[in-house]
Amino acid sequence: MTELLRVGAVGSERPVARHQGTSYALDSLTTDIDGAFLAADGLARVTAALAAGELPELDIDGERIGAPIARPTAVICIGQNYAAHARESGAEPPTELIVFFKHPNTVVGPHDDIVIPPGSQKLDWEVELGVVIGSTAHRLPSREAAQAAIAGYVVVNDVSEREHQLVTSLGQWSKGKMAPTFCPVGPVLVPATEVDAGDLRLWSSVNGEPRQDSSTADLIFDVASIVQDLSHYVQLEPGDLICTGTPQGVALSGRFPYLAAGDVIEMGVAGLGEQRSVVVEEENR
């Protein structure tokens, strides 16, 4: 399996490929893993360079891991896309896509801190399968065309402040989704050709206690359906990130406490890696 990642200090990340446990520098192919790289057949060029032995090995032990895609132009999210999660949220499963947005600057690395907004009392976690778009997609005619527009997949934590999302937002969910650090992504981007997105286990825990445990097989709207449907309302661009929804097991259910400073959130998606984030107060960031 080939994995793409970005390592280094915030704002100075380097593009890296990891193949069969060995890391390789991608500086000769691109300055970053972004929409322009993906649109220019970047993943295919990485595969070819690896096969030809053209990439230098790189030791990344001890390096910070950033989000595996540079700041996307859009972060588009799908709400209540698992039936059990819809019901624990007090709603019936939707018959159409529920769409909201996160600001691109919410994206941080998979092990970066999650910052509590001032006055927040209802901070929640949401493990999700993230879809990274690899080519311009507008009014796609078929599921096959939608699948062809996908570059790869990532782990996403759709961090949510439920008071802002559901009470003070007048129905516009994005207000509770857009604070800085509210979208840890990664650790890796795995090409779509190497992933069966139809049946991946998702899980999360808080302070070592299990919270979510489900599969993308339980999605109401699967990945291809989401991309095709969205393309009729928005022109998707290379590097855009789509968050496909979270399964049951969040604090909003009333079964678990909301997050507090010092809590440790761990989560992962099978084959895509794991995240570990610590919740901190803003003044301690």
Side-chain angles (χ1 to χ4, degrees), residues 73-74 76 78 97 99 101 133 135-140 226-237 240 242:
T73 51
I76 307 171
I78 307 303
L97 291 184
V99 180
F101 289 83
I133 298 299
S135 59
T136 300
H138 193 211
R139 297 174 185 154
L140 296 172
I226 291 169
V227 174
Q228 184 184 7
D229 195 6
L230 282 176
S231 78
H232 289 275
Y233 300 97
V234 60
Q235 179 170 296
L236 300 169
E237 301 289 350
D240 284 354
I242 300 172

Side-chain angles (χ1 to χ4, degrees), residues 27 50 61 91 100 118 120 123 127 136 157 167-168 204 277:
D27 305 74
L50 285 169
D61 285 350
F100 61 92
S120 169
L123 193 67
V127 63
T136 300
N157 184 358
V167 178
T168 64
S204 67
S277 303

